[in-house]
Amino acid sequence: MAAFITSTACISPQNTSNSLGFPNEINEYSSNILKCVEPNYKDYINPLQLRRMSKILKMGLGASMICIKNDNQSNPDAIIVGTGLGCGEDLEKFLNSITDSNEQVLSPTPFIQSTHNMVAAQIAVVLKNHNYNMTYCHRGFSFEEALIDALMLINDGQAKSVLVGGIDEMTENNFKFFNYLDYWKKENISNLHLFEHNNSGSIAGEGACFFSIKAENSNNATCINDVSLFYKPQSNCEIEEKITSFLKKNNIEKEKLDLIILGMNGDNNFDSIYKHLIKEYFYSGSLLTNYKHLCGEYVTSSSFALWLADCILKDQYIPDVIKIDKFENKIVKNILIYNHYRNINHSLMLISLK
Amino acid sequence: MPRRIFITGIGIVSAIGNNIEECLISLNSCKTGIATISRLQTAHNKIPAAEVKLSNEELISILDINEGKKFYSRTALLGMLAAKEALNYSNYKYNKTLRTGLISATTVGGMNFSEQYYKDLLSSDKHKEYIETFDCGDPAERIADFLKIKDYIATVSTACSSSANAIMIGARLIKNNIIDRALVGGTDALTKFTVNGFNSLEILDPTPCKPFDANRKGLTIGEGAAYLLIESEDIAEKQNIICELKGYSNANDAFHPTASSPEGQGAYLAMKHSLDMSSVEPSTIDYINAHGTGTDINDFSEGKAIEKLFSPNIPPVSSTKAFTGHTLGAAGAIEAVLSVLSIKNQMIYPNLHFSQPIKDLSFSPVTNLIKNVEIRNVLSNSFGFGGNNTSLLFSKC
Amino acid sequence: MLKIITMEELIEQLKQEIIEALDLEDVKPDDFNADTPLFVEGLGLDSIDALELIVLLEKKYGLKIEDPQERRSILYSVRTMAEYITANRKE
C-alpha cells in the first residue's frame, strides 16, 4: 500500500494557508489556546455557498478547495475526512437553544451542521461529487483512519485520486472542559517555549490539513509508504515492538530513517514515551523534530505533521523551529511520524521520496 | 482474488427486542416497537418513538459492569450488549495470531450525558468525569475494552448511513489484509438532541411512521445497536458461517445537506455499484430492506432509484423502520442483521402501517409477513444527511 | 407596547432580520428588494431557509403557520411576509 501526495493545504495557527511550503515567519501565542489564521474564504468559495456555515465548515471547505486548486485537479474519486470532535460550535449552539427555549421553536441549521460528516458532505456538494464519501470520528485515530481508507481505495484500484483531510476546531467551551481534566498547562506560556516547561498539561490547538493522494507519481511527489495504528499499548516495550514490526513490514531499517517527527506536546505525563524512544530505541543519526508547539495539541494534529513532512521532503529544508536539538541539515529521504494521543491512540506514518 | 467475507455472528438490541431471539418473535408476530416516549425526559412526550425497553441501570446489571458504572453512556451500553451477543453467537475465541478489529458507528456518542451536564459544566467542573464520554469515539473504546479487542479500533460517523459504512469498512480492512476479522456495526441512544433536531426539521411523524405510504408524515426516531462479526474466508469456520457479504458501495448524492435529490442519484449509484461488484444479477435479488424512513423526500427518491435499477421486475421491498423506528447511527447495522436473518430464516418482513401507495411510484412495499420463501440475495439500503448513501448486499452461501 | 410602524418600515426591519437569520450579508444586497421572490429563481433560498423564516416569524412576531400551502404564499417575498404580519399580528 503506497500512494503519492500531489498537493496539500494547511489552515493552522501558523501562516500556512496561503503559502506553498513552510512559512518564513512563525507566530507566537501567549495564551494556551492556538487558533487558526484563516484565509479569506471568498477567494476560494462562492459566498452563497459559505452562507450559514460555521467556522469548521469554512475551514474544511477552504482547505479542501485550496488543495484542489494547488493540484490543478477538478474532482477526486473519493473524499475522506477525519475529525475527532466534529462540528462542536453548532453542536453547542443547538444544545444551548434546546435548554434556553425549553425545547420550543428551534432553528434547524445548527442541528444539521452539527452532523459529523458535514465537512465531507459540503465538499461533495460544492464539487458536485457523487463518489465515495467518508468521515471518521475516532479521537486520535480519526485522521489516520481516513488516510488508511484512502490507501485502501487506491490499493484496490477503486480510486486513482483521493482528497483526504484532518480537521478539528478548539471551541472555547471544549478548551474549558478539557482544562477541567488538566489537559492544558495551568500557567499561560508561549507556544515557542512549550518544551521548556517540564510539567503537566499541553497547549490547545486546531487545524484543517488536506491532501491530494494519488495512485500515480508526478513531479517527484512525496510517497506515503504506509500508515499504522495501535491502541492502548501496555508498555514502552510493546511500543518498540509495534514500531519495529511496522518498519520491518516496510523493509526499512531504523538507521535509514533520516528524520523523525514526534508528537511531543510538552505534557510530561505523555512525553516520557517519546523521550524513552529517543534514548533507547531510535538510531542516534536520525534527525529529531517535533511540531505541536506550532499547531497546538488536538486530536487530528497528525495531519499537520504529515503536511510538515511533505514540506520537508519537497523543499529539502528543515526549519530550525522544529528541531529538538540543533543539527546540520542534510538530505532527507525517509521520514517517520510517530504520534500518540494521551497514550491511547498511537500512530505511525512512513513518508519518503521515491 | 480478493478474500471473501463471511458473517459468523450477529447481535442486536432494539425497541422490538433485547436480543436476536426477542426481535424474531416481534417480527414473526408483526409487533412494532413504536410507542409514546416514556424513558426519555423531553417536552415532546407526545411524539411516538422506538425506545429500548431496558434502563441504563438494567443494562449495567446485565453487562455486569462494576467499575465506574456511572460513566457509561447509554450509547456505549447498548453497543456493548449487542456486540457481546454477536461474539457469543459466533463462538468467538480470543486468538493471539488473529488480528481482530472493531469498526463502530455512532452519530450521538455520549449525548445523553452532554445534554444533561453541558450547561452545568460551563460554570463548574462538578461533572467533569463525564466530559470524556461526550465524543463519538467513546462508545467504540468502551466496547473494545469490554470485549478485549485491540488490533484496529475505528469510529465512523456519516449520519444515518454510519453503521452500514462501518460494515463496509470492516470488510475492506479484511480484504486489504490489515485485519483478519472484525466486529462491525453501530449504536445510538435516543436523546433530546436528536428528537429536537428532527423536530426542528419538521420531519417527525406525530403518529408511528408509515414508510412508503402516500400519507407519510415523517420518521419515528428510535434507538438501539447491532453488530456483526465478519471474518475472511481463510479463517471463518464453516459451521459458523451464516451468509456472505458480497457487495457494498457508498456514493454521494451531492445535492443538499439534508434533502435527497428527487431522482435519487446517490441511492441509485450505491445500489448499482453493490450489484456490479458482486456480479449478482438484479433478477436474483429476492428482497430489498429499504432505508424507507417515512419522510416525504426519502421514500419518494429511494423509490425512484429502485425503479430505475430494477423496473419492470421490482423485488419485494419493505422498510423495517415501522418496527424499530429510525435508529440513526445504528440503523444500517440493525437492518443488516435483519437482512442476515431474512436469509437465514428465508423470510420477508412486512412494511407495517402501509395503506396507500405513493402516486408516481410504480410499486408498493410488502405488507404481509412472508415465510418459506427462497431468499438468495438481500440488498440493504442506508442513506444519511449529507447525501451519504450506502448499499450492502448479503448472499446465501 | 408595540410601536406602530408603517409597511415600509416593517419591510426594512424584516429585511434586516432575514439577512441576519439567513446569514445573507454577502449575497448581493442590491438584488434583494421587497418583491424579489425569496426561493428558487429569486434569491435561491432552500427548504432549510424556509424553516428558518418560519422560526423567525414565530420568535419575533409570535406567528405560527402550519399549513404548507399557506407557508408557500406567505414566504413568497419580503412584502408578502410583511403583509401577513400586519394582518395577523396580535396587539
Side-chain angles (χ1 to χ4, degrees), chain A residues 251-270:
Chain A
N251 292 318
I252 184 166
E253 293 95 43
K254 272 199 294 202
E255 292 72 24
K256 288 278 162 60
L257 296 174
D258 303 311
L259 188 140
I260 299 170
I261 301 178
L262 294 166
M264 286 194 189
N265 70 2
D267 185 329
N268 61 7
N269 298 301
F270 300 114

Side-chain angles (χ1 to χ4, degrees), chain A residues 1 52 84-85 90-96 98-100 102-104 106-108 110-112 114-118 121-122 124-125 128-139 141 144-145 148-153 155-156 158 173 176-178 180-183 229-234 238 242 342 344-345, chain B residues 41-44 107 111 114-115 118-125 128-129 131-138 140-142 144-145 149-159 165 168-169 172-173 176 178 192-194 196-201 248 250-258 265-266 269 385-388:
Chain A
M1 284 214 304
R52 292 196 310 230
L85 295 174
D90 279 305
L91 192 136
E92 291 169 13
K93 216 191 262 181
F94 199 67
L95 268 178
N96 279 332
I98 291 175
T99 327
D100 296 345
N102 203 10
E103 302 187 59
Q104 308 303 315
L106 300 176
S107 153
F111 173 67
I112 297 165
S114 71
T115 314
H116 289 81
N117 62 325
M118 239 355 108
Q122 290 287 4
V125 171
K128 295 193 172 39
N129 187 303
H130 290 285
N131 302 328
Y132 185 91
N133 194 286
M134 200 54 62
T135 301
Y136 290 86
C137 300
H138 196 104
R139 300 186 165 167
F141 284 156
E144 287 80 349
E145 285 167 356
I148 289 171
D149 194 342
L151 294 178
M152 289 198 295
L153 287 175
N155 193 40
D156 292 345
Q158 269 194 64
N173 288 336
K176 177 191 255 177
F177 293 175
F178 291 135
Y180 292 151
L181 302 175
D182 303 324
Y183 278 31
L229 34 92
F230 54 100
Y231 177 69
K232 288 191 180 170
Q234 298 300 305
E238 187 180 337
K242 292 285 182 191
R342 306 191 70 73
I344 295 171
N345 310 120
Chain B
Q41 298 296 312
T42 164
H44 303 290
T107 67
M111 180 58 76
S114 356
E115 60 192 23
Y118 170 78
K119 208 72 187 186
D120 293 345
L121 281 164
L122 292 179
S123 52
S124 111
D125 69 352
K128 66 177 180 187
E129 295 83 0
I131 291 168
E132 284 174 326
T133 68
F134 290 175
D135 69 336
C136 284
D138 180 68
E141 294 194 359
R142 297 291 176 138
D145 293 349
I149 293 174
K150 252 189 107 162
D151 299 315
Y152 198 98
I153 316 296
T155 301
V156 183
S157 197
T158 57
N165 285 330
M168 171 181 71
I169 289 160
R172 291 176 46 232
L173 285 164
N176 276 276
I178 293 170
K192 252 168 39 170
F193 189 88
T194 36
N196 279 284
F198 288 102
N199 192 50
S200 75
L201 286 166
Y248 44 75
N250 169 273
N252 200 275
D253 211 28
F255 177 71
H256 185 271
T258 57
Q265 175 71 359
L269 290 173
F385 274 8
N388 200 292

